[in-house]
């Protein structure tokens, strides 16, 4: 499992961008999707998730804005930018290549 | 339990500068963690279990807060900038010193006092231009943190720059006035009247200053 989570962690940013491609979202919701899609086998640590947000934001791949919740605490939403979409496509292509290589090696 | 989660996150931010960025990140973390906590309760977990799940899910926050501790304070002047600035100031001072000599040289040696005065004004104008250019291109204090202290530093830096420009212009102004006084006095030889130039000059100077201040206060409104 530790190898699996290492590989997954290496792709944290692509995983986040993929979620934002579907719709704007906020931290907990993204983590919830990840959990659901992996049948509760994988979950990002909050520290990892928010560090990735900061990196993506600095790189200009995502932008954030505060939602106007009428009840409860306000949430910070993230939205993917055009350069972010391009970066996602590149990362995805890289991953496909790596996957093909590993399949032929292992 | 809610307060305990809040405390846990706030403690991680204890030694982080209280910038807007840090406070927003803290707020975001707390909101998301509390939502997770409430979800856990809804799934039928006890408060104790939900709390443990939330805290263990946070992970090592230091990797997140470490990035917020970096401060870049002053935008430092490079040696080239300092050199350029020194050359500009030195040239300007030299021109100021040479400018009265033009009057003497042209009126005594070439016997063309009008050209001498014109040369003096040209020198003063060029020197003033150099000093103003130097003050305007000096790197400004750039704000790196959204705190009150930073705002104050920025305000102070802007103030000092304004003052430098003002002093430069005003010293040039008085040199020009002295030049006009000498020129008119020498050509008309009416020394008993010409001193009035200084009073007129002071009045004009103050009126210009008043207009500038008035405009400035209009802008800030």
């Amino acid at each position: 499992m530790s190898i699996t989570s290492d590989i997954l962690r290496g792709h944290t940013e692509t995983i986040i961008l993929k979620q934002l491609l579907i719709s704007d979202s906020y931290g907990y919701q993204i983590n919830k999707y990840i959990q659901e899609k992996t049948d509760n086998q994988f979950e990002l640590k909050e520290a990892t998730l928010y560090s990735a947000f900061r990196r993506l934001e600095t790189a200009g791949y995502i932008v954030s804005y505060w939602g106007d919740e009428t009840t409860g605490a306000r949430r910070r939403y993230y939205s993917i930018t055009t350069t972010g979409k391009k970066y996602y496509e590149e990362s995805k292509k890289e991953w496909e290549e790596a996957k093909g290589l590993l399949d032929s090696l292992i | 339990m809610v307060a305990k989660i809040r405390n846990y996150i706030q403690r991680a931010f204890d030694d982080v500068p209280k910038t807007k960025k840090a406070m927003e990140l803290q707020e975001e973390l707390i909101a998301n963690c509390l939502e997770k906590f409430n979800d856990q309760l809804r799934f039928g977990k006890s408060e104790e279990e939900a709390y443990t799940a939330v805290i263990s899910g946070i992970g090592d926050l230091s990797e997140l807060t470490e990035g917020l501790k970096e401060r870049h304070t002053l935008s430092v002047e490079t040696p080239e900038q300092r050199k350029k600035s020194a050359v500009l100031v030195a040239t300007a001072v030299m021109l100021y010193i040479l400018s009265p000599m033009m009057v003497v040289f042209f009126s005594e040696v070439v016997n063309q006092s009008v050209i001498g005065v014109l040369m003096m004004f040209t020198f003063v104008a060029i020197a003033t231009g150099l000093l103003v250019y130097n003050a305007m291109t000096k790197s400004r204090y750039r704000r790196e943190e959204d705190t009150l202290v930073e705002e104050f530093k920025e305000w102070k830096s802007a103030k000092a720059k304004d003052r430098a420009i003002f002093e430069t212009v005003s010293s040039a102004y008085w040199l020009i006035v002295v030049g006009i006084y000498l020129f008119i006095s020498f050509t008309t030889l009416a020394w008993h009247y010409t001193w009035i130039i200084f009073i007129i000059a002071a009045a004009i100077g103050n009126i210009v200053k008043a207009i500038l201040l008035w405009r400035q206060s209009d802008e800030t409104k």
Side-chain angles (χ1 to χ4, degrees):
Chain A
M1 192 60 203
S2 80
I3 294 177
T4 318
S5 55
D6 271 355
I7 295 174
L8 283 166
R9 208 169 309 125
H11 295 90
T12 311
E13 282 153 32
T14 320
I15 295 169
I16 292 170
L17 287 178
K18 160 90 181 172
Q19 292 306 324
L20 292 178
L21 220 49
I22 302 162
S23 72
D24 290 4
S25 189
Y26 59 96
Y28 177 58
Q29 197 178 36
I30 290 177
N31 220 351
K32 226 164 32 176
Y33 276 139
I34 292 170
Q35 260 183 297
E36 280 167 19
K37 284 205 168 173
T38 57
D39 270 330
N40 287 320
Q41 286 188 59
F42 185 68
E43 178 192 17
L44 283 172
K45 296 277 183 208
E46 253 81 25
T48 316
L49 180 67
Y50 294 98
S51 301
F53 279 148
R54 293 294 90 80
R55 276 198 302 275
L56 286 167
E57 211 174 4
T58 317
Y61 298 146
I62 59 171
V63 286
S64 67
Y65 59 92
W66 288 95
D68 44 352
E69 274 70 39
T70 40
T71 53
R74 62 185 187 142
R75 290 177 185 140
R76 176 148 45 187
Y77 286 89
Y78 294 93
S79 175
I80 191 165
T81 63
T82 334
T83 45
K85 283 178 190 159
K86 234 178 270 164
Y87 178 73
Y88 167 76
E89 293 301 334
E90 279 166 30
S91 308
K92 196 179 163 159
K93 215 161 70 194
E94 268 173 39
W95 166 242
E96 300 288 357
E97 279 169 23
K99 203 162 66 175
L101 280 175
L102 283 172
D103 275 344
S104 60
L105 289 172
I106 298 175
Chain B
M1 279 302 171
V2 168
K4 244 168 113 181
I5 294 174
R6 202 181 284 274
N7 268 336
Y8 179 87
I9 294 167
Q10 274 166 354
R11 253 203 325 270
F13 281 82
D14 266 354
D15 50 352
V16 173
K18 301 277 177 286
T19 58
K20 192 173 165 224
K21 218 164 131 191
M23 298 320 277
E24 282 187 345
L25 181 60
Q26 190 182 328
E27 184 184 349
E28 182 184 9
L29 261 172
I30 291 174
N32 282 296
C33 285
L34 289 183
E35 195 176 335
K36 184 176 174 183
F37 177 74
N38 288 329
D39 267 3
Q40 296 283 321
L41 289 184
R42 213 171 321 127
F43 294 148
K45 291 218 175 134
S46 74
E47 285 219 338
E48 208 53 62
E49 284 169 328
Y51 173 76
T52 318
V54 168
I55 297 299
S56 67
I58 289 176
D60 184 11
L61 279 179
S62 65
E63 68 172 303
L64 199 55
T65 52
E66 216 48 50
L68 294 166
K69 279 183 204 161
E70 293 160 20
R71 307 160 168 252
H72 329 267
T73 39
L74 271 167
S75 51
V76 193
E77 253 179 90
T78 62
E80 288 99 74
Q81 279 176 312
R82 218 172 304 139
K83 222 158 143 190
K84 196 190 96 190
S85 170
V87 169
L88 285 173
V89 174
T91 314
V93 171
M94 189 185 76
L95 288 173
Y96 277 129
I97 295 170
L98 285 177
S99 63
M101 281 172 62
M102 288 299 115
V103 184
V104 179
F105 176 78
F106 277 94
S107 55
E108 296 300 316
V109 182
V110 198
N111 216 0
Q112 290 279 342
S113 56
V114 179
I115 294 180
V117 172
L118 283 178
M119 287 298 284
M120 184 189 94
F121 284 152
T122 315
F123 274 36
V124 168
I126 293 170
T128 310
L130 288 177
L131 286 184
V132 171
Y133 174 78
N134 179 45
M136 303 262 282
T137 51
K138 267 260 171 69
S139 55
R140 293 182 54 193
Y141 186 87
R142 272 191 287 136
R143 192 156 25 128
E144 295 288 352
E145 293 170 66
D146 296 325
T147 58
L148 207 63
V149 179
E150 295 303 312
E151 268 167 38
F152 175 70
K153 282 187 199 157
E154 195 183 55
W155 174 80
K156 224 171 80 178
S157 154
K159 259 296 205 255
K161 202 167 132 182
D162 278 354
R163 194 171 309 140
I165 292 173
F166 174 76
E167 278 169 7
T168 310
V169 173
S170 108
S171 65
Y173 173 72
W174 283 108
L175 271 174
I176 292 169
V177 169
V178 172
I180 294 174
Y181 168 73
L182 288 174
F183 178 66
I184 295 179
S185 303
F186 273 118
T187 47
T188 62
L189 289 176
W191 292 91
H192 46 294
Y193 294 128
T194 46
W195 55 266
I196 205 108
I197 287 171
F198 286 105
I199 294 173
I200 298 171
I204 293 172
N206 279 326
I207 289 169
V208 170
K209 202 172 151 190
I211 292 171
L212 287 178
L213 284 175
W214 178 59
R215 279 233 191 110
Q216 209 169 30
S217 69
D218 250 18
E219 270 168 32
T220 50
K221 251 177 223 167

